[in-house]
């Protein structure tokens, strides 16, 4: 009789977990589908990195412009640009530019252009807590890597239930370092400069250009 109860409870629990996962998948797909309707996005955000054990607590602001796979990211005094083929990392302080060819199979980081679709492969997901943030209903979805050797322990995606836009992303690594990206401004279908995603080498005559491939 006890075994029957345990089996029934196990089946019930598995059923709830599957239902939870389906809800999470449905919400994530809504976010992804909505983003795909925009021609471009311009996002201002707050970036924080925290590791209590190492007594590290950094916070700064950044911005990113995204059009399809292309993006220009400004963060910590560095500009990173992806024109669809190559990644350009421009470091004005060192007067240095690193240029590399983007290889999707080797890219494990969540790039700006992948922020709304990275979860589609390599993650299990489930609904997490819901919070009221300044009158906004933010539903969190927890993503856990399928790869047990991944450096990332889990990712929490906070989604505004009304707009279906991402409010924040909280990434916890195996060493308990926590990286939080919080969207402060989200603009869509903006008038972008035609050459925004084009690297113009002539503008950096005094820079050392390091071609990594």
């Amino acid at each position: 009789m006890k075994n029957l109860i345990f089996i029934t409870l196990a089946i019930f629990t598995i059923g709830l977990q599957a239902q939870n996962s389906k809800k999470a998948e449905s919400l994530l797909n809504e976010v992804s589908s909505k983003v795909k309707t925009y021609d471009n996005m311009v996002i201002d955000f707050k970036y924080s990195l925290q590791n209590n054990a190492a007594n590290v607590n950094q916070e700064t602001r950044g911005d990113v412009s995204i059009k399809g796979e292309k993006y220009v990211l400004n963060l910590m005094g560095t500009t990173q640009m992806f024109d669809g083929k190559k990644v350009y990392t421009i470091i004005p302080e060192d007067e240095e530019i690193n240029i590399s060819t983007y290889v999707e199979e080797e890219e494990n980081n969540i790039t700006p252009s992948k922020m709304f679709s990275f979860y589609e492969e390599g993650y299990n997901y489930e609904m997490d807590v819901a919070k009221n943030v300044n009158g906004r209903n933010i539903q969190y979805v927890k993503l856990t890597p399928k790869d047990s050797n991944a450096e990332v322990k889990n990712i929490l995606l906070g989604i505004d239930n009304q707009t279906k836009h991402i409010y924040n992303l909280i990434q916890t690594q195996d060493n308990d370092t926590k990286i939080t990206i919080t969207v402060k401004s989200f603009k869509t279908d903006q008038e972008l400069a035609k050459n925004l995603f084009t690297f113009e080498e002539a503008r950096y005559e005094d820079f050392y250009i390091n071609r990594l491939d």
Side-chain angles (χ1 to χ4, degrees):
M1 184 67 177
K2 286 183 179 179
N3 287 338
L4 180 60
I5 292 173
F6 288 146
I7 292 170
T8 302
L9 286 173
I11 292 172
F12 181 69
T13 301
I14 292 170
L16 286 178
Q17 289 174 341
Q19 187 178 20
N20 185 299
S21 179
K22 284 291 184 183
K23 285 183 179 179
E25 181 181 16
S26 177
L27 181 57
L28 289 171
N29 286 339
E30 280 189 79
V31 174
S32 181
S33 296
K34 188 161 189 179
V35 164
K36 289 174 183 177
T37 67
Y38 302 136
D39 179 66
N40 62 65
M41 294 171 284
V42 178
I43 303 168
D44 293 325
F45 60 88
K46 181 175 74 174
Y47 173 95
S48 66
L49 185 149
Q50 184 178 22
N51 186 311
N52 293 330
N55 198 27
V56 174
N57 194 352
Q58 300 176 342
E59 189 173 295
T60 188
R61 298 291 284 265
D63 64 82
V64 61
S65 299
I66 307 170
K67 183 178 174 66
E69 291 294 315
K70 301 176 182 179
Y71 65 83
V72 175
L73 169 67
N74 296 300
L75 182 64
M76 296 182 179
T78 297
T79 296
Q80 187 176 87
M81 176 193 300
F82 177 51
D83 63 5
K85 294 182 179 179
K86 292 185 178 292
V87 178
Y88 306 84
T89 303
I90 304 166
I91 312 168
E93 185 178 356
D94 299 333
E95 293 191 337
E96 181 179 335
I97 298 173
N98 295 320
I99 303 176
S100 60
T101 300
Y102 175 78
V103 181
E104 187 172 2
E105 290 76 11
E106 297 176 0
E107 183 55 68
N108 295 317
N109 294 325
I110 303 172
T111 63
S113 53
K114 280 187 172 182
M115 185 174 178
F116 305 98
S117 61
F118 73 91
Y119 66 86
E120 292 175 353
E121 293 183 9
Y123 291 89
N124 295 313
Y125 26 81
E126 59 183 307
M127 299 291 273
D128 206 86
V129 298
K131 293 183 179 180
N132 186 302
V133 181
N134 298 324
R136 299 168 66 184
N137 183 9
I138 307 299
Q139 173 65 57
Y140 283 89
V141 175
K142 186 176 183 179
L143 299 100
T144 307
K146 293 178 180 179
D147 182 1
S148 58
N149 296 318
E151 293 180 1
V152 175
K153 186 183 295 184
N154 61 64
I155 296 171
L156 282 172
L157 266 185
I159 298 167
D160 187 316
N161 260 329
Q162 182 177 357
T163 64
K164 296 300 184 287
H165 289 164
I166 290 177
Y167 166 71
N168 67 352
L169 179 152
I170 305 168
Q171 176 177 297
T172 302
Q173 298 177 341
D174 267 346
N175 62 359
D176 288 329
T177 295
K178 185 177 289 186
I179 296 170
T180 304
I181 298 173
T182 304
V183 174
K184 308 303 291 184
S185 171
F186 187 99
K187 298 177 182 178
T188 62
D189 300 334
Q190 300 294 292
E191 188 173 340
L192 304 178
K194 291 182 179 180
N195 62 347
L196 180 62
F197 305 104
T198 302
F199 177 69
E200 299 177 2
E201 190 170 328
R203 293 178 54 194
Y204 304 97
E205 292 180 354
D206 297 329
F207 281 57
Y208 171 72
I209 297 181
N210 184 22
R211 303 182 191 277
L212 301 176
D213 47 29

